[in-house]
Amino acid sequence: QNAVNNSDVAPVFFPKGIYIVSNLTIPSNITVFGFGNATLKQKASCTGGFITPATSATNITIKGLIIDGNKANQVTACSGIALNANNTKIEIFNNNISNTKGSGIQGAGSGLADIVIRNNRISNVDVMAITIQNGVNRAEITGNIVNTTGNNGIQDFHPTTLSNLDVAIANNIVTGVTLIPIEIQRGERCIVANNTVTGSGTNGISLGRCDYSAIVGNVVEDQSAIGIESGGNNKQSIIGNTINN
């Protein structure tokens, strides 16, 4: 934490090795990156977040890390990377996140904007691989590989209002999740495109109350229920998808 706090705007670099980490809070204008299998392992009995941008922090990059949630030694459901309220201009890419008692990447706070989550590998997590739970203004969730979750795979959700605006979930591979591989609830101008989802416990792709949105060019296979679910949407296009159940 001291290295991050004292870095001003310089990158924080983790060389090859295993680092025991808890409550690593990232301020604005910082890049945190790993090289040569740098592994950040969650401290046992974590009571807060694992890697967390500070509340209202902006312009943060987290890349190239192996993040081990050490879930066998956790009591509470800590996520690998947990976004905070009013985080903006956050980029999370080329990380390998696994073994978390919570989600792989979680955005639970309101006021999120300009979030990019791309080319990560997320597996063996007890909750969701990637989840944004209170809406986001502009998000790209692309090129991620997700395998084995205890809940949904990739979820962008708001419980009451159309708060997911200009969201793209594209070119992801999602396999072996317990519930829904890809879900967006309550948004506008959302696109789910060119994803491959295989072998879940319920529906393959689900969009609910998403206006001016599109589901295009996805491959959905071996789902336990519906391939593509769409409900309560205005002016939505569903084009060129392949469903094999």
Side-chain angles (χ1 to χ4, degrees):
Q1 185 66 62
N2 288 337
V4 172
N5 291 343
N6 294 328
S7 65
D8 195 12
V9 295
V12 176
F13 168 61
F14 287 91
K16 182 178 180 180
I18 298 175
Y19 304 85
I20 306 301
V21 175
S22 181
N23 306 101
L24 182 63
T25 302
I26 313 299
S28 294
N29 305 313
I30 295 295
T31 294
V32 178
F33 70 99
F35 179 79
N37 295 323
T39 300
L40 273 57
K41 187 172 183 178
Q42 176 76 292
K43 183 179 179 181
S45 301
C46 170
T47 57
F50 187 3
I51 301 170
T52 306
T55 299
S56 300
T58 187
N59 192 31
I60 290 172
T61 298
I62 302 170
K63 64 179 181 178
L65 293 169
I66 297 172
I67 298 173
D68 178 357
N70 190 20
K71 67 180 179 181
N73 295 300
Q74 305 303 325
V75 177
T76 58
C78 294
S79 295
I81 298 173
L83 304 182
N84 256 315
N86 301 312
N87 284 159
T88 60
K89 298 181 180 178
I90 308 295
E91 188 168 12
I92 301 168
F93 69 96
N94 291 350
N95 300 287
N96 190 328
I97 304 171
S98 65
N99 198 29
T100 64
K101 199 170 182 67
S103 295
I105 300 170
Q106 178 185 28
S110 60
L112 300 179
D114 300 306
I115 307 299
V116 177
I117 301 171
R118 61 180 174 88
N119 297 344
N120 301 282
R121 290 179 174 266
I122 304 173
S123 63
N124 190 27
V125 297
D126 279 4
V127 189
M128 303 185 204
I130 300 168
T131 174
I132 296 175
Q133 298 172 336
N134 280 290
V136 62
N137 191 358
R138 297 177 302 277
E140 299 177 18
I141 302 173
T142 60
N144 301 283
I145 298 174
V146 171
N147 183 38
T148 312
T149 71
N151 199 295
N152 289 350
I154 299 172
Q155 181 198 61
D156 198 348
F157 174 85
H158 195 281
T160 57
T161 62
L162 300 180
S163 296
N164 294 300
L165 308 178
D166 301 300
V167 173
I169 300 177
N171 301 307
N172 302 283
I173 298 172
V174 185
T175 60
V177 304
T178 301
L179 296 178
I180 303 172
I182 297 176
E183 178 184 31
I184 304 177
Q185 291 291 331
R186 297 182 178 86
E188 291 184 351
R189 302 181 303 278
C190 300
I191 185 166
V192 177
N194 302 320
N195 301 282
T196 299
V197 300
T198 306
S200 76
T202 57
N203 304 329
I205 295 172
S206 178
L207 265 67
R209 299 177 179 85
C210 292
D211 298 340
Y212 310 102
S213 297
I215 305 172
V216 180
N218 301 281
V219 176
V220 182
E221 297 181 326
D222 298 328
Q223 307 305 309
S224 297
I226 300 168
I228 294 176
E229 177 187 37
S230 173
N233 306 299
N234 293 314
K235 298 184 178 179
Q236 184 180 90
S237 300
I238 302 175
I239 302 171
N241 300 282
T242 301
I243 301 173
N244 297 311
N245 276 343

